[in-house]
Amino acid sequence: MSGRGRSPVCVGVEIAGSGSSLPARRVTNGDLVAMMDTSDEWIVQRTGIRERRIYDREKEGTADLAADAARKAIADAGLLPTDIDLVVVGTMTPDSPTPSVACVVADRIGAGKVGAFDVNGACCGFVFAINTAHDLINGGAYRNVVVAGADTITRFCDFSTAGRNVAVLFGDAAAAVVLRVSSDTSRGLLAQAMHSDGGGAKNLFVPGRKQDFPSNVEYDPKRINQIYMDGQAVFKFAVGTFSKLIEQTLERSGLKADEVDHYVCHQSNYRILDSARERFGLSPERLHVNIDRYGNTVGASVPLVFDELRKSGRVQPGQKVMFLAFGAGLTWGSSLWQL
Ligand code: UT7
């Protein structure tokens, strides 16, 4: 029986599998130069991004990418879709307000009538979702949970010169992990943190109506349903937040920075990641960067890095991994695992 009762025993939780899904269309900085006034040099120097994937709106959506990533993660874990008893998707770009992406994924993968819901934490969606799912397993109610991060954010980007400060940053993707109950109680979350500051929303938001424009941003009907970002304000927030978040998570776990094997970070700007590396003396092997190939993929960003590390054999059982993200909301959060 799963998803119905609480087990009296304390259980461990392991990350048993991972998978990712990328749209086929690869858009280089050179391709963007043909759409807007920008340059490869500007984008690489300011962000570290060289190319990104952009989904085909006519043929695919967030749920398609998420279902593909979930199927791969389940196979990687050596499980069957019918073993899954809960699906949680971190996303801020569901294909429609309802059904949730998670409901579509659960059905598509053939998991049956299992629990399924989305978590909207913007770029923190996956981190918030994995923290939630961990505790649902740890509490004894679920055994095998798919946790995905999936976003098709480019539909909210303006690929003309007017939107160049935002459009060059983003890409579309999905990635997923399977969490599985383990008899080894040392495995699972060592510490976590989840934060928000709605007062900072004015620096990064998608207006749906005239009323959604804060007083510091002039109303422009052409900007409805497009990302507004004060890049420098978000940059400052991100650099400060990253350091404090790492410190807070280490303090909660009682670990030192060099006792964590991998810092799996949200990829939003190479310079932001570099400042965290410098601050904590982390080698490139311990803070992996793949923004050059995918840009900022919002909720998919963190599990995409994890899947890459796992597939290349760099992440191994017994290691400690800290997932870290920050984003619109504003939101920021961490999840420190004993694998
Ligand atoms: O997960 C979401 C979180 N978001 C982020 O983490 C983003 C954080 N912010 C950033 O990464 C940086 O602020 C950006 C990469 C967005 C911008 O870099 P910046 O060094 O802060 O540049 P800026 O906004 O100060 O703009 C500098 C110049 C401006 O021109 P002027 O006013 O100096 O003449 C911009 O108009 O660069 C211009 N510019 C561009 N030029 C070429 C802005 N976007 C572009 C572009 N290509 N795409």
Side-chain angles (χ1 to χ4, degrees), residues 205-279:
F205 62 95
V206 180
R209 313 164 298 170
K210 188 176 181 185
Q211 302 91 296
D212 298 333
F213 284 78
S215 56
N216 63 315
V217 181
E218 198 181 330
Y219 169 63
D220 178 351
K222 290 199 291 295
R223 295 182 94 157
I224 293 282
N225 283 333
Q226 285 177 11
I227 300 169
Y228 170 89
M229 184 178 71
D230 178 340
Q232 291 191 357
V234 176
F235 190 91
K236 228 170 121 187
F237 153 74
V239 169
T241 301
F242 242 54
S243 292
K244 283 193 208 126
L245 193 57
I246 293 175
E247 273 162 16
Q248 181 183 49
T249 314
L250 290 172
E251 199 180 300
R252 287 182 178 179
S253 66
L255 294 172
K256 295 194 183 66
D258 61 3
E259 291 176 296
V260 176
D261 297 285
H262 297 282
Y263 290 80
V264 179
C265 299
H266 172 51
Q267 310 278 305
S268 70
N269 187 316
Y270 180 79
R271 290 183 289 146
I272 295 171
L273 298 170
D274 226 25
S275 77
R277 267 184 188 161
E278 261 181 43
R279 165 82 180 73

Side-chain angles (χ1 to χ4, degrees), residues 51-115:
E51 60 181 53
R52 70 286 294 141
R53 302 296 182 92
I54 294 187
Y55 81 118
D56 181 343
R57 287 190 208 189
E58 304 301 318
K59 293 195 184 136
E60 61 194 342
T62 304
D64 296 304
L65 296 174
D68 185 38
R71 265 188 220 106
K72 290 173 180 163
I74 293 166
D76 185 44
L79 295 174
L80 295 170
T82 46
D83 295 323
I84 300 301
D85 49 17
L86 184 67
V87 177
V88 188
V89 179
T91 185
M92 62 169 273
T93 53
D95 298 308
S96 55
T98 192
S100 68
V101 175
C103 280
V104 179
V105 170
D107 182 56
R108 290 266 183 88
I109 63 176
K113 309 277 185 280
V114 299

Side-chain angles (χ1 to χ4, degrees), residues 38 42 46 123 164-165 168 231-232 234 266 268-269 271 296:
T38 190
W42 191 96
R46 308 262 176 159
C123 299
R164 66 180 182 171
N165 67 318
V168 301
Q232 291 191 357
V234 176
H266 172 51
S268 70
N269 187 316
R271 290 183 289 146
N296 177 347

